[in-house]
Amino acid sequence: MKKMLALSLAAGLVLSLISLAGCGASSSQEEESAAILAQQQDVAPAPVTEVRIPYQADDTLNPYTCRTLQNYYAAGLLYDTLVALDENYQPQNRLAQEISLQDGTRVEIHLRGNAEFWDGSLVTAQDVAASLELARATPRFAPGLAGVSSVETPTDATVIITLSAPDVFFTRSLCFPIVKAGTGEAAQPVGSGRYLPGDGDPALFTANPRYHTPVQNVKTVRLVAGSTLEEQSYSLLEGELDLMYSDLQGDLNLGLGMGYRQVDMNNLVYLGVNSGRWGLDQELRGILSGLINRDDILRKAYLGFGSASTSLINPAFASVSLDSAQLDISLERINARLDELGYAQRDEAGYRLSGGRRMSLTLLVNEENAARESAAQLIADSCALAGIQVTVSRVPWDTYAAAVAAGDYDLYIGEVKIPYNMDISGLISPNQTFGTGIPYDPETEAAYAQAKAGEITPEELDRVLQEKLPVIPLLYRRGILCVARDFSVNMVATGQDIFYNIVDW
């Protein structure tokens, strides 16, 4: 499916926000949500014992075959993982008791001894190995597991994974669901998660008494059918749901009486640059990057749901202390530098000339994505201030993807969900997925390999990437967790697991 391609070009962000004004969410809408959340936190109601969440009845709850995001997160309650990623993308052990990484390539996993499936059988290394094979064949998990070379199970409680190249971030990829070997192809594989499927009622989950960390209060999770995000948001407003999550790739009606919070995702929105066009070398890429008002794009095109960034590394990574993003624009300095580079002459319209021709670039954007269309126009407006003409070309998906693969573009706006092990290899060298116009730079590739091997820090890699700019980062998008007014729990939600701490609610 198109939505599962590495270059994510699904339908864009379209929020129908009550009290939405102009190009962004109004302050009254933000204040309303903040007031609701504050009220929920201040009041100490009776413990929540049941939670109602949305799902799609025509989709499976098998984490390896489900198509919809809501069903994927619901299935996450039924199936446990070796690790879960916290709010800062750091792996926290679940089924794994201990994980060691030797030489960056040998991952040794010891399973906890009290991990049981629903049927009472122990979770074994063989179950992990079988689940790993399923995950490597599933688009949702495969990118982060691409480096797996071999898997061994020397004991029932030990798994050894050998990687084809060093990757000190690989343990973040161990968040794929573990199912009992031989059941992975079933509509309902046997799991070992926090909840059990209800007897005779697939829309009712009950707390799993065998789970290694007992559920404290929420003993029941009830699934409420709803086909669209808009239907689900109305169900929340009407008291039929307690919470719902959206990655903001579809229509969502966020109305009054609903609290919400943003959830970090690893989705990078970036500007692809064809360095073979117009002599767009490293310095000119830096000038283009410096012209872009990322805060403006975040606020107007993405309604504030994200984090503006000049880095390819997600600023949400707590273990990475990145240099402060240089988001301020110095138009006077940029204009002076362009003059120095030989682009001082302008035509009657005020655009710069290069070799007697107007300095003009075409920015390719998928016409099915409203947010990226808006961002493209904002970039064009910013470049015009420095005398660079940028024409936005809105084209269908097929035309867009073919142009990127063939290198038939000057600029394009893309989005990619970066694997949790920080695999950005596709963004730093030419390829058909992310652009044949990406410059090949041995220093960039060497720094990336060193960072993955743990020989240099992510901060050091970031400095190289911000200097070389193989692509120009714009922002990291965020999802949204909507909560009913009368629902109050101490909730931690992550992009990997929106029910991250449900056992403690």
Side-chain angles (χ1 to χ4, degrees):
M1 295 174 63
K2 292 179 181 175
K3 290 184 180 178
M4 292 184 177
L5 294 177
L7 184 60
S8 174
L9 295 163
L13 168 66
V14 182
L15 287 179
S16 303
L17 300 178
I18 295 178
S19 299
L20 186 68
C23 295
S26 70
S27 59
S28 62
Q29 176 70 23
E30 296 287 351
E31 290 168 1
E32 168 76 11
S33 175
I36 292 170
L37 292 177
Q39 182 184 40
Q40 292 168 339
Q41 293 169 358
D42 290 341
V43 177
V48 173
T49 59
E50 179 177 287
V51 174
R52 296 164 299 170
I53 64 174
Y55 88 120
Q56 296 202 5
D58 61 351
D59 191 11
T60 75
L61 288 169
N62 182 326
Y64 292 112
T65 61
C66 63
R67 305 181 310 276
T68 60
L69 194 65
Q70 302 290 12
N71 283 36
Y72 167 69
Y73 282 118
L77 295 170
L78 301 176
Y79 303 95
D80 212 2
T81 54
L82 292 169
V83 304
L85 302 184
D86 64 20
E87 291 177 291
N88 299 310
Y89 293 91
Q90 301 307 304
Q92 307 299 327
N93 287 348
R94 284 205 173 157
L95 285 175
Q97 181 69 44
E98 181 182 2
I99 302 175
S100 62
L101 182 62
Q102 302 170 15
D103 300 323
T105 59
R106 187 179 188 274
V107 186
E108 186 168 323
I109 305 165
H110 296 278
L111 302 178
R112 60 166 65 235
N114 61 342
E116 298 182 12
F117 286 112
W118 305 328
D119 60 8
S121 61
L122 287 176
V123 177
T124 68
Q126 292 73 31
D127 300 310
V128 173
S131 298
L132 177 57
E133 288 306 303
L134 289 171
R136 294 176 69 187
T138 304
R140 183 175 276 116
F141 308 104
L145 301 170
V148 174
S149 176
S150 65
V151 181
E152 303 171 61
T153 55
T155 73
D156 284 347
T158 306
V159 181
I160 297 175
I161 299 174
T162 302
L163 306 177
S164 57
D167 184 0
V168 296
F169 307 108
F170 176 76
T171 55
R172 295 172 179 169
S173 295
L174 298 176
C175 54
F176 56 89
I178 305 302
V179 301
K180 188 170 184 176
T183 71
E185 302 298 332
Q188 186 73 78
V190 177
S192 62
R194 294 161 284 186
Y195 290 84
L196 303 164
D199 290 336
D201 186 355
L204 183 68
F205 298 168
T206 57
N208 181 1
R210 301 180 186 277
Y211 192 62
H212 50 78
T213 306
V215 172
Q216 292 188 14
N217 295 312
V218 183
K219 302 301 184 180
T220 305
V221 176
R222 191 173 300 278
L223 276 58
V224 179
S227 59
T228 67
L229 282 175
E230 188 167 8
E231 284 182 10
Q232 293 166 21
S233 63
Y234 278 117
S235 294
L236 190 68
L237 290 172
E238 293 169 2
E240 298 170 355
L241 286 173
D242 295 309
L243 60 87
M244 62 169 291
Y245 173 79
S246 171
D247 63 358
L248 297 179
Q249 297 230 64
D251 294 345
L252 176 63
N253 190 333
L254 182 60
L256 295 175
M258 181 192 301
Y260 66 86
R261 66 190 69 179
Q262 297 192 25
V263 178
D264 283 311
M265 300 192 302
N266 218 22
N267 288 50
L268 173 70
V269 180
Y270 64 95
L271 183 68
V273 181
N274 190 338
S275 296
R277 300 279 189 98
W278 271 108
L280 289 172
D281 58 12
Q282 179 178 319
E283 181 153 24
L284 280 180
R285 294 196 300 274
I287 288 173
L288 278 175
S289 179
L291 281 170
I292 296 171
N293 190 327
R294 291 168 173 80
D295 284 332
D296 219 26
I297 292 174
L298 175 61
R299 180 172 54 87
K300 294 181 179 180
Y302 289 88
L303 304 178
F305 289 95
S307 176
S309 178
T310 60
S311 174
L312 284 179
I313 301 175
N314 195 329
F317 283 7
S319 61
V320 180
S321 178
L322 302 177
D323 293 335
S324 297
Q326 299 300 313
L327 300 178
D328 293 334
I329 298 172
S330 176
L331 188 59
E332 182 178 353
R333 178 180 56 81
I334 290 173
N335 274 317
R337 185 55 183 154
L338 284 168
D339 290 346
E340 293 172 1
L341 291 174
Y343 303 110
Q345 187 179 1
R346 303 195 184 212
D347 62 16
E348 64 281 358
Y351 290 108
R352 295 179 182 275
L353 299 178
S354 174
R357 296 171 53 203
R358 177 179 289 184
M359 196 171 184
S360 179
L361 302 169
T362 298
L363 173 51
L364 197 65
V365 65
N366 175 17
E367 66 182 6
E368 299 167 8
N369 193 300
R372 282 178 236 166
E373 281 194 56
S374 178
Q377 191 56 58
L378 290 169
I379 290 172
D381 295 342
S382 294
C383 289
L385 297 175
I388 301 173
Q389 183 182 50
V390 173
T391 302
V392 178
S393 176
R394 300 167 177 83
V395 297
W397 155 260
D398 290 340
T399 303
Y400 174 104
V404 171
D408 187 18
Y409 63 92
D410 296 325
L411 309 169
Y412 79 90
I413 294 183
E415 178 180 330
V416 57
K417 185 174 181 63
I418 295 178
Y420 294 129
N421 66 331
M422 210 171 74
D423 183 357
I424 57 171
S425 55
L427 294 169
I428 64 174
S429 59
N431 60 87
Q432 291 191 336
T433 301
F434 298 102
T436 52
I438 295 175
Y440 171 72
D441 187 276
E443 185 179 346
T444 302
E445 292 200 342
Y448 175 67
Q450 288 176 307
K452 294 288 274 187
E455 297 170 0
I456 65 172
T457 65
E459 292 88 344
E460 291 173 304
L461 171 62
D462 181 59
R463 286 193 283 274
V464 173
L465 293 172
Q466 294 212 38
E467 175 188 351
K468 299 293 185 177
L469 286 175
V471 299
I472 298 176
L474 300 177
L475 58 93
Y476 272 88
R477 285 203 310 106
R478 290 177 182 156
I480 183 172
L481 183 68
C482 302
V483 184
R485 180 184 287 274
D486 59 353
F487 185 77
S488 177
V489 296
N490 182 24
M491 181 185 301
V492 176
T494 73
Q496 182 253 323
D497 180 6
I498 62 171
F499 305 105
Y500 178 80
N501 70 331
I502 193 171
V503 297
D504 299 323
W505 288 3

